[in-house]
Amino acid sequence: MNSKQVGSAIGAGFAVFCVIAAGAATILTSTTSIDANSLNTVNYSTTTSSTQTSIASVGSTATTSSFSTFDFANGTKLPDKATLSIGNATFRPGTGTAYVPIKLDRATPNTVIARVITVNGSGTLRALSGYHYQTVDTVVIFRPGDPLMQTVAVPIIGAAEGQFFQLKLREAPWGGLQGQSVGTVTASSTATVTAKATGTFRAARTFAPTGTLQFELLKDTHKRSPDGGWNRWATSLSHGRTQVANGETGLYLDSSIWPGIEGPVYWSSKGLVLHTQKLATPIYYEGQSWKYGASVLDGRNFLASQIGYGQYEWDARMPNRRGTWPAFWLVSTSGWPPEIDIYEGFGYQSYWDFDRHVGQTIHGGSGGVRSFQRGVVIQTEQAYGIKGYSEDFHRFAVDIQRDYITWFVDGKETYQSVNPFQGFRWYPIMNVAVKTDSAFTDGSGDMIIRSFKIYSAP
């Protein structure tokens, strides 16, 4: 989500990372360890990632980097992306497993996520899934500080000399550049066998607030007004009630300004509702007629909602109406950019699955000009075993520390980036934008917030 009218958070140059349910794959147990350097400011408990258990890391190639010497130019620069490549591999005929290397060319400043899948070979020596090997469809995750190579294990049923299949990327990797996208895996009795990677990698972290509780959303103390104030939310954005350059067709409403409309913000028995709607009577505003109503709560003037370091945690249920654009995001109190998107749902995109996709992004720059954006859109059911965002409530959180920013869904780490925004202070925005010209009647257009807490840290 963008605070200024500069286009959508995922531009035309971004590839879609749509992960579908995994096929048959072997699960190999590997040991895990925690990178002490990246834990120097926050205490976390740890869990082993279910996806990563089929992948091992090479300890001898481990590179830990906090990027402490990098010049972030006050939040306008970010270290270069690492390039991810799939290597060729060799296994012995008659063996039970082939190991295929996945490599980064450098230490990554952010989580790199890639989906890989096996495909049959070609010609007379082709190896076929179900006959010579078992299909593997999995997600490979590199976190900051991880070793630079992992291996994916492919179960071998039986392959003769020279038979081969391939492992390839399903899409360009998120958070990284694409190098060699296909690796050929060949049965050979003479070539050097590709060894299983040994060693350790960092497990996904579990969210635990470490700051001091500064704010909690409660019905009895909730206040809002058109422009907000030191003790209340605003029902507008810092630049107004429209975002035309984002392609948004919804006007951010306030019933105190337009009496008689359906309440854009109200409390229900389930929580605080941000309601979107197709207006029964269009509203003429800023020179055009608006047919849809959007909803926002903005904390730009709400002092209790603002922190420099610490944690934000929302417990919410998302809409599933096509054309909605729900988001939880943070903007610098000194102006946009920078921006941190804790959750973003691109319901105006045809590929978007409200119950499986999550978008998490940072935007750098200054003075209303964005100089970079980097993040992930991932189908979290396969990667993390989490789904059903419009069906039930889920927790979305971010931890902002001086070295890293870490994102979580239902307590599980889903993304991490080196923090290029040291010294900035943040205010939160929760909104459901509208970007459609449709009937806008399918499903639910509402976001319901059951809980929202802010923890501040020194």
Side-chain angles (χ1 to χ4, degrees):
M1 187 63 64
N2 296 329
S3 179
K4 297 296 183 183
Q5 299 180 17
V6 292
S8 66
I10 288 192
F14 270 61
V16 176
F17 185 87
C18 300
V19 181
I20 303 174
T26 186
I27 301 297
L28 302 179
T29 302
S30 56
T31 58
T32 61
S33 68
I34 298 301
D35 171 17
N37 180 65
S38 59
L39 289 178
N40 58 2
T41 55
V42 184
N43 294 321
Y44 292 90
S45 59
T46 61
T47 58
T48 301
S49 165
S50 60
T51 299
Q52 291 283 76
T53 53
S54 63
I55 302 169
S57 298
V58 176
S60 61
T61 62
T63 301
T64 299
S65 174
S66 64
F67 297 93
S68 59
T69 61
F70 184 83
D71 182 7
F72 296 104
N74 201 32
T76 62
K77 293 183 179 179
L78 198 64
D80 290 340
K81 293 180 180 180
T83 297
L84 182 143
S85 297
I86 302 178
N88 297 327
T90 303
F91 65 96
R92 289 280 183 265
T95 192
T97 307
Y99 298 100
V100 187
I102 313 292
K103 302 178 182 180
L104 295 183
D105 69 336
R106 67 183 69 192
T108 178
N110 53 267
T111 305
V112 177
I113 305 176
R115 181 186 178 195
V116 296
I117 189 170
T118 49
V119 294
N120 292 335
S122 59
T124 58
L125 292 176
R126 65 185 183 276
L128 302 177
S129 174
Y131 293 93
H132 305 111
Y133 70 93
Q134 291 183 19
T135 297
V136 170
D137 185 346
T138 192
V139 173
V140 176
I141 302 173
F142 288 91
R143 299 183 175 94
D146 273 354
L148 301 184
M149 186 171 79
Q150 306 176 13
T151 52
V152 174
V154 181
I156 302 299
I157 300 171
E161 182 76 22
Q163 284 191 305
F164 72 95
F165 60 92
Q166 294 178 318
L167 185 73
K168 72 172 187 177
L169 290 170
R170 293 294 295 265
E171 305 90 6
W174 276 92
L177 301 175
Q178 179 176 304
Q180 181 172 317
S181 62
V182 178
T184 300
V185 187
T186 306
S188 174
S189 58
T190 58
T192 301
V193 171
T194 304
K196 173 186 176 181
T198 59
T200 59
F201 58 92
R202 181 174 74 74
R205 295 170 179 165
T206 299
F207 178 76
T210 58
T212 301
L213 181 63
Q214 176 172 297
F215 172 82
E216 183 173 5
L217 180 68
L218 298 170
K219 183 177 181 179
D220 292 344
T221 56
H222 173 74
K223 296 180 181 180
R224 59 184 182 270
S225 62
D227 294 314
W230 69 272
N231 66 344
R232 66 189 63 224
W233 299 92
T235 60
S236 60
L237 294 164
S238 61
H239 56 276
R241 296 188 173 274
T242 65
Q243 295 206 101
V244 178
N246 263 358
E248 296 182 27
T249 56
L251 175 66
Y252 289 98
L253 299 175
D254 187 311
S255 55
S256 69
I257 299 175
W258 293 284
I261 61 171
E262 296 175 10
V265 182
Y266 64 89
W267 286 89
S268 74
S269 60
K270 295 181 179 179
L272 182 63
V273 179
L274 300 187
H275 176 64
T276 63
Q277 58 194 286
K278 185 170 185 179
L279 295 165
T281 302
I283 295 174
Y284 190 78
Y285 183 79
E286 292 185 344
Q288 71 178 81
S289 184
W290 296 85
K291 299 178 181 179
Y292 304 91
S295 183
V296 65
L297 290 176
D298 179 300
R300 65 183 179 275
N301 296 318
F302 191 2
L303 298 182
S305 74
Q306 300 171 8
I307 63 172
Y309 300 104
Q311 300 87 36
Y312 288 89
E313 183 181 26
W314 278 271
D315 185 8
R317 192 176 79 185
M318 293 300 158
N320 61 1
R321 178 173 294 169
R322 190 59 54 189
T324 58
W325 186 357
F328 294 132
W329 43 307
L330 308 176
V331 174
S332 167
T333 56
S334 61
W336 183 91
E339 172 184 333
I340 301 172
D341 298 321
I342 302 169
Y343 166 87
E344 197 162 7
F346 303 100
Y348 60 88
Q349 297 278 13
S350 60
Y351 74 84
W352 189 264
D353 185 333
F354 275 109
D355 286 315
R356 291 175 174 82
H357 287 142
V358 167
Q360 297 170 328
T361 313
I362 60 173
H363 305 253
S366 65
V369 178
R370 181 173 54 195
S371 57
F372 69 80
Q373 66 179 30
R374 192 175 301 178
V376 291
V377 172
I378 186 169
Q379 200 264 50
T380 56
E381 183 178 11
Q382 182 182 20
Y384 302 110
I386 309 170
K387 63 178 181 177
Y389 301 114
S390 74
E391 298 171 349
D392 203 350
F393 289 86
H394 293 265
R395 292 181 296 129
F396 305 91
V398 69
D399 178 73
I400 306 169
Q401 298 297 326
R402 286 169 174 78
D403 50 0
Y404 287 100
I405 303 169
T406 309
W407 287 251
F408 302 84
V409 178
D410 288 346
K412 295 182 180 181
E413 177 187 346
T414 52
Y415 187 62
Q416 186 180 69
S417 171
V418 64
N419 186 356
F421 308 130
Q422 293 96 337
F424 282 84
R425 192 166 180 82
W426 305 96
Y427 70 87
I429 300 174
M430 52 183 105
N431 73 304
V432 184
V434 178
K435 188 173 180 177
T436 187
D437 58 3
S438 70
F440 203 60
T441 56
D442 62 295
S444 169
D446 297 348
M447 178 198 291
I448 306 175
I449 300 98
R450 184 166 62 180
S451 173
F452 174 39
K453 296 179 181 180
I454 303 172
Y455 303 87
S456 61

